[in-house]
């Protein structure tokens, strides 16, 4: 165990972090992450489940001088508004992703908004808090995600609770000791299991919203001063890592690639100089993160080689082996992972092979009850007959290769390295244009959001963002 705890190292760095300390690339990335989450609000307001959750939060925790519920305009307690806003972002399926199994955006961004509103913080403070929260969350989970999933926990709410707590504490202006207490409380509040999606439950739908609530509550409790945080809440013998990963000494159960042991000192190595969250990626399709690159690569290959799906003999998709056993080899969702299923990798690859792509969030609906039944039936037949998954232990995560063999024996091979999805702000804006056909409020509303996110460091308050995400189109719409 180190002399200076991990909690204190992170707390000391975050307490002293200033906006002017952030490299331009970090500021740009934080703006992109914020824009992605804010864009998702409009889609979330059109989701029946999220509207029910918002109404529940307002019924139980309405507060006239509280924080604003986006897309609605009414106010709730700090934790209630964080929960409701996280639900709006999460329900859209337009999430960011770090190391496959965490989605910080629907947790950290709501925490930033409610705290910035109630603490009267400006855009520079929001960026700084999000940079601290993202970095804390990403460094904590970086090596440990497969091991966490192997314990039966869903990594996203576990690690994102920690990030939201850091965002909250930073915007509340807590000092080093206050942040140590915040981290300890968040470590006790983190939760979320993988069993639901394996056995027909849908608890996952509120994992990230609950994580946002818990992270904000950790900051509130720490500021109240009634709890002294344990110094080694993360790496202690009975601490966060031991509970959620099975080891406090850097021993891993599984790894995407590389050895199953690493030095825990590397968790904070380069803190403040190297930013892990620069590699966070943005989901554009309403499906698992590891399928995003599969869709893009298959669509690119179809276009580049003018591939006729009716003339394809077989498609081999080479993936990181853990991606074929989602969420974990210890608890795979499907024992027969090679079987073709609607909503799994073969399905999305088949769509791209037949249709040239897959609709982004907000786009047209595909599937057996979709808008083009003839095309859908071709997809189902294609995925059953022509696609094979090839798991590889040394292949980087989110970096598939596809080999297409035509009926005449011709072969085409393509690779899609992960770094192609770690976009900056301008690249994200370009890609989000594909969402505009289904975006409530249309291009003018979206362009206003882009303008505000781009100028986030010049905003005197969060109010313009609240106004842009609670416009005239808010309220009940088609489910």
């Amino acid at each position: 165990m180190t002399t200076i705890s991990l909690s204190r190292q992170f707390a000391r760095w975050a307490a002293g972090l200033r906006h002017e300390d952030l490299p331009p690339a970090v500021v740009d990335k934080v703006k992109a992450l914020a824009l992605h989450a804010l864009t998702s609000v409009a889609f979330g307001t059109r989701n029946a489940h999220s509207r029910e959750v918002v109404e529940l939060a307002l019924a139980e925790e309405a507060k006239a001088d509280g924080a604003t519920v986006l897309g609605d305009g009414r106010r709730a307690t700090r934790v209630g508004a964080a929960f409701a806003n996280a639900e709006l972002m999460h329900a859209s399926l337009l999430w960011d992703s770090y190391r496959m199994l965490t989605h910080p955006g629907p947790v950290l961004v709501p925490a930033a908004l409610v705290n910035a509103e109630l603490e009267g913080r400006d855009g520079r403070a929001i960026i700084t808090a999000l940079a601290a929260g993202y970095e804390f969350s990403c460094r904590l989970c970086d090596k440990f995600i497969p091991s966490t999933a192997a314990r039966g926990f869903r990594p996203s709410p576990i690690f994102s609770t920690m990030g939201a707590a850091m965002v909250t504490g930073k915007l509340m202006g807590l000092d080093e000791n206050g942040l140590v207490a915040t981290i300890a409380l968040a470590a006790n509040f983190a939760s979320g299991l993988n069993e639901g999606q394996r056995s027909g439950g849908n608890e996952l739908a509120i994992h990230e919203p609950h994580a946002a609530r818990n992270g904000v509550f950790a900051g509130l409790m720490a500021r109240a001063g009634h709890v002294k945080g344990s110094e080694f809440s993360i790496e202690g013998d009975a601490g966060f890592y031991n509970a959620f990963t099975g080891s406090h000494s850097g021993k891993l159960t599984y790894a995407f690639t590389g050895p199953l042991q690493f030095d825990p000192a590397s968790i904070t190595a380069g803190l403040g100089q190297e930013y892990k969250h620069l590699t966070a990626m943005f989901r554009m399709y309403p499906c698992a993160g590891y399928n995003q690159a599969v869709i893009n690569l298959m669509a690119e290959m179809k276009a580049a080689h003018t591939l006729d799906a009716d003339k394809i003999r077989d498609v081999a998709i080479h993936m990181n082996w853990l991606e074929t056993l989602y969420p974990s080899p210890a608890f795979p969702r499907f024992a027969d992972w090679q079987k073709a299923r609607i909503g799994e990798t073969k399905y999305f690859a088949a769509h791209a092979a037949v249709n040239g792509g897959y609709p982004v969030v907000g786009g047209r609906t595909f599937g057996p009850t979709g808008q083009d039944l003839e095309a859908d039936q071709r997809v189902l037949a294609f995925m059953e007959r022509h696609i094979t998954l090839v798991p590889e232990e040394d292949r980087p995560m989110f970096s598939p290769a596809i080999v297409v063999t035509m009926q005449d024996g011709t072969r085409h091979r393509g690779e899609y390295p992960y770094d192609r999805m770690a976009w900056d702000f301008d690249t994200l804006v370009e890609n989000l244009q594909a969402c505009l056909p289904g975006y409530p409020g249309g291009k003018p509303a979206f362009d206003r959001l882009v303008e505000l996110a781009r100028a986030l460091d010049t905003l005197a308050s969060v109010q313009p963002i609240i106004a842009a995400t609670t416009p005239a189109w808010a309220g009940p719409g088609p489910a």
Side-chain angles (χ1 to χ4, degrees):
M1 189 177 293
T2 59
T3 302
I4 304 177
S5 69
L6 288 175
S7 293
R8 190 156 298 278
Q9 291 179 63
F10 279 114
R12 185 169 297 168
W13 165 72
L17 185 65
R18 304 169 302 168
H19 183 270
E20 50 265 38
D21 298 328
L22 300 175
V26 171
V27 173
D28 181 87
K29 187 72 174 190
V30 169
K31 290 179 179 180
L33 292 163
L35 173 63
H36 193 254
L38 292 169
T39 302
S40 70
V41 172
F43 296 114
T45 61
R46 293 316 198 226
N47 179 281
H49 177 267
S50 67
R51 294 201 306 272
E52 291 173 358
V53 170
V54 166
E55 290 300 327
L56 174 63
L58 287 165
E60 294 293 329
E61 299 193 52
K63 190 171 187 286
D65 60 348
T68 305
V69 174
L70 304 178
D72 183 277
R74 288 175 287 176
R75 294 173 180 264
T77 64
R78 191 182 310 240
V79 292
F83 179 82
N85 290 340
E87 170 61 28
L88 290 170
M89 295 180 188
H90 188 253
S92 73
L93 302 179
L94 194 69
W95 310 337
D96 55 15
S97 183
Y98 183 79
R99 300 290 285 167
M100 188 168 94
L101 294 178
T102 65
H103 310 293
V107 182
L108 275 62
V109 174
L113 294 177
V114 298
N115 284 293
E117 182 180 10
L118 295 182
E119 301 298 322
R121 303 299 186 185
D122 63 15
R124 289 163 63 93
I126 294 171
I127 291 171
T128 308
L130 282 172
Y134 263 96
E135 195 60 19
F136 179 46
S137 176
C138 291
R139 282 176 174 266
L140 276 185
C141 76
D142 190 72
K143 299 287 188 182
F144 286 106
I145 286 178
S147 296
T148 299
R151 300 276 288 181
F153 296 109
R154 184 165 172 258
S156 186
I158 301 297
F159 292 101
S160 295
T161 297
M162 305 296 279
M166 180 65 82
V167 169
T168 299
K170 183 64 176 171
L171 285 168
M172 287 180 171
L174 300 187
D175 62 11
E176 179 182 320
N177 287 330
L179 289 177
V180 168
T182 300
I183 290 168
L185 286 161
N188 282 271
F189 297 164
S191 65
L193 304 176
N194 271 324
E195 182 57 30
Q197 58 187 319
R198 299 179 70 251
S199 54
N202 66 345
E203 302 96 317
L204 182 150
I206 62 165
H207 277 178
E208 276 77 3
H210 192 52
R213 181 188 184 90
N214 284 346
V216 172
F217 187 58
L220 281 171
M221 286 294 295
R223 182 163 70 173
H226 303 308
V227 176
K228 180 183 183 297
S230 52
E231 187 69 24
F232 294 95
S233 61
I234 297 176
E235 74 274 33
D237 289 354
F240 178 87
Y241 274 145
N242 184 69
F244 291 120
T245 75
S247 170
H248 62 89
S249 61
K251 183 179 180 181
L252 307 176
T253 309
Y254 298 105
F256 289 113
T257 56
L260 296 180
Q261 179 69 51
F262 77 101
D263 183 0
S266 66
I267 294 169
T268 54
L271 185 62
Q273 286 78 49
E274 176 189 356
Y275 284 84
K276 300 284 189 182
H277 72 263
L278 287 173
T279 62
M281 57 84 71
F282 303 90
R283 284 183 19 169
M284 291 295 298
Y285 308 107
C287 59
Y290 54 83
N291 289 322
Q292 310 287 307
V294 170
I295 294 169
N296 288 342
L297 179 56
M298 189 70 251
E300 287 183 1
M301 292 178 69
K302 180 178 176 67
H305 303 292
T306 319
L307 301 181
D308 183 345
D310 293 331
K311 296 180 180 179
I312 292 175
R313 188 172 72 200
D314 58 69
V315 175
I317 303 173
H318 298 253
M319 308 170 66
N320 181 280
W321 71 293
L322 293 179
E323 295 169 353
T324 65
L325 296 171
Y326 174 87
S328 167
F331 303 104
R333 184 156 52 180
F334 305 111
D336 54 343
W337 51 267
Q338 192 68 256
K339 181 179 179 179
R341 290 181 174 86
I342 294 173
E344 299 300 319
T345 300
K346 290 186 177 184
Y347 175 73
F348 297 111
H351 260 294
V354 172
N355 298 319
Y358 193 80
V360 299
V361 168
R364 66 185 288 265
T365 300
F366 281 112
T369 59
Q371 297 170 348
D372 189 341
L373 295 179
E374 182 178 352
D376 293 335
Q377 292 304 316
R378 289 184 65 205
V379 167
L380 299 181
F382 192 96
M383 76 172 184
E384 290 278 358
R385 300 170 186 170
H386 300 297
I387 299 181
T388 301
L389 304 183
V390 183
E392 297 179 356
E393 292 192 12
D394 59 350
R395 176 165 293 278
M397 51 159 285
F398 281 26
S399 301
I402 295 180
V403 178
V404 177
T405 304
M406 308 302 292
Q407 291 176 359
D408 64 5
T410 303
R411 286 193 172 186
H412 305 282
R413 179 183 175 88
E415 298 265 355
Y416 206 95
Y418 175 86
D419 58 12
R420 289 191 60 188
M421 295 188 292
W423 305 331
D424 60 11
F425 187 90
D426 287 336
T427 306
L428 173 66
V429 172
E430 180 181 348
N431 281 280
L432 284 174
Q433 303 299 315
C435 294
L436 288 182
Y439 189 78
K443 191 173 187 303
F446 174 73
D447 287 348
R448 175 58 177 160
L449 204 58
V450 171
E451 175 188 347
L452 290 170
R454 192 187 300 277
L456 182 56
D457 43 7
T458 70
L459 298 184
S461 77
V462 75
Q463 291 306 318
I465 291 176
I466 293 174
T469 48
T470 313
W473 47 258

